[in-house]
Amino acid sequence: MEKEQGEIKRKRIAEIDFLRGFALLLMIWHHAMYDVRYVFHVDAFAFQDSYWFYDIGRSVILALFLLVSGVSTRFSANNLMRGRRMVIFSALATVLSAVLHVITRWTGVIFFNVIHVIAFSTFLYAVIEHLFIVRYANASNSSIDMEWQKAKMIGFLIAFGVLAVILGYVIIPILPEETLNPLFVMLGSSVAGVDTLDQLSLLPYLGYYLLGAAIGQTLYASGEPLWKNEKSRVYSISLPVLFMGRNALAVYLLHQPILLAVLWVLSKTGLF
């Protein structure tokens, strides 16, 4: 039985991979425009400074990405291990960005961005999952008891998620713009005296992640995809986006260095 559950959790879900890949694609496009305008100082893509693009469009893309990341907890065999892996990669992103900034002096440092938010959120979800499910499963409770524990966990995820979203929109406007306080940095303030790159606040995005986890536990309770027609033309056209969604961590870590390298070459050739 445990083996079967593990196999279900590792099954790829096409629509989840597509949504994650689509959000990544939009994120990469945003970073490319940012690099052109602010790293290479080309007078282009001025619209990204507008309220509707930065505060609305960017927030929607990030919320979608965190929701989908939360849904993915349903299909992870070990969320605690997944969280540990994300912490390692988030630390790696910070170190590499700092080294690159020291060398170039024009990129900025990533202190707390989307990968850090996912790492923290995954760890928190693993704790919640342990409190509501794992410790009771190990005690060999009846299936009825386990369903009740699962229902309580979903309710807790929704309540905590909604609270985190609301708190985020309350706290962000009153935070200092710059700080040396690590807690304020996690909540969205830039680091004083250092160019902060791609900063993201823990709140409200932790809330979107937890709400996504609740969606995963309800819509995908059976472990089966909602879209099962993998032989359609739409599926074939979507394969590049699906590939990105299935390799989201690698794409996220590598896309910015690749973008910067390509744009640097283009700038040296005089194309912009």
Side-chain angles (χ1 to χ4, degrees):
M1 181 66 179
E2 291 180 359
K3 183 179 179 180
E4 291 175 358
Q5 289 177 344
E7 290 173 351
I8 288 174
K9 285 190 173 186
R10 290 182 179 89
K11 186 173 182 178
R12 302 302 312 192
I13 304 297
E15 60 262 30
I16 298 301
D17 288 333
F18 178 83
L19 289 173
R20 186 189 297 111
F22 181 68
L24 264 176
L25 193 62
L26 294 176
M27 195 181 298
I28 290 170
W29 172 238
H30 173 243
H31 287 168
M33 292 189 296
Y34 179 93
D35 293 343
V36 168
R37 185 166 179 81
Y38 294 106
V39 177
F40 292 91
H41 306 292
V42 177
D43 187 15
F45 307 119
F47 64 84
Q48 66 180 304
D49 296 327
S50 64
Y51 173 80
W52 69 265
F53 184 89
Y54 190 83
D55 292 298
I56 303 299
R58 178 176 178 268
S59 297
V60 169
I61 293 170
L62 288 168
L64 172 63
F65 191 71
L66 269 296
L67 277 168
V68 174
S69 298
V71 172
S72 300
T73 58
R74 170 66 185 86
F75 305 99
S76 174
N78 190 328
N79 282 295
L80 183 59
M81 185 64 68
R82 181 170 170 242
R84 289 173 182 168
R85 186 169 66 248
M86 293 300 298
V87 167
I88 292 172
F89 283 117
S90 63
L92 182 62
T94 298
V95 171
L96 289 178
S97 68
V99 171
L100 186 61
H101 181 65
V102 169
I103 295 172
T104 65
R105 290 295 176 183
W106 46 258
T107 57
V109 181
I110 297 173
F111 288 100
F112 199 83
N113 75 340
V114 65
I115 194 171
H116 298 78
V117 172
I118 292 176
F120 185 96
S121 302
T122 304
F123 255 118
L124 180 59
Y125 174 79
V127 171
I128 294 170
E129 187 180 44
H130 177 81
L131 293 175
F132 282 94
I133 302 295
V134 176
R135 64 175 181 166
Y136 288 94
N138 293 339
S140 301
N141 284 283
S142 68
S143 59
I144 296 177
D145 290 338
M146 288 308 301
E147 287 300 316
W148 173 236
Q149 287 301 125
K150 181 178 177 182
K152 288 197 296 184
M153 183 180 77
I154 293 172
F156 181 82
L157 290 170
I158 293 172
F160 198 170
V162 170
L163 178 62
V165 170
I166 294 173
L167 283 176
Y169 290 109
V170 171
I171 290 173
I172 288 176
I174 62 176
L175 285 173
E177 289 189 10
E178 293 187 341
T179 183
L180 292 176
N181 187 319
L183 177 60
F184 286 170
V185 172
M186 290 177 62
L187 292 176
S189 297
S190 298
V191 177
V194 182
D195 292 331
T196 305
L197 182 66
D198 204 21
Q199 184 77 358
L200 188 68
S201 56
L202 179 62
L203 303 175
Y205 296 101
L206 166 64
Y208 291 121
Y209 186 98
L210 296 180
L211 290 172
I215 292 172
Q217 291 293 336
T218 51
L219 284 184
Y220 296 99
S222 65
E224 293 297 320
L226 303 179
W227 179 31
K228 299 182 180 181
N229 188 6
E230 296 187 359
K231 296 182 179 180
S232 67
R233 181 171 296 182
V234 174
Y235 181 85
S236 299
I237 296 173
S238 303
L239 286 177
V241 180
L242 289 169
F243 176 82
M244 291 178 62
R246 290 168 180 167
N247 299 277
L249 185 57
V251 171
Y252 185 83
L253 287 175
L254 295 175
H255 82 275
Q256 189 69 303
I258 292 173
L259 278 175
L260 291 171
V262 170
L263 291 172
W264 182 82
V265 171
L266 292 176
S267 69
K268 292 302 180 182
T269 57
L271 292 179
F272 65 79

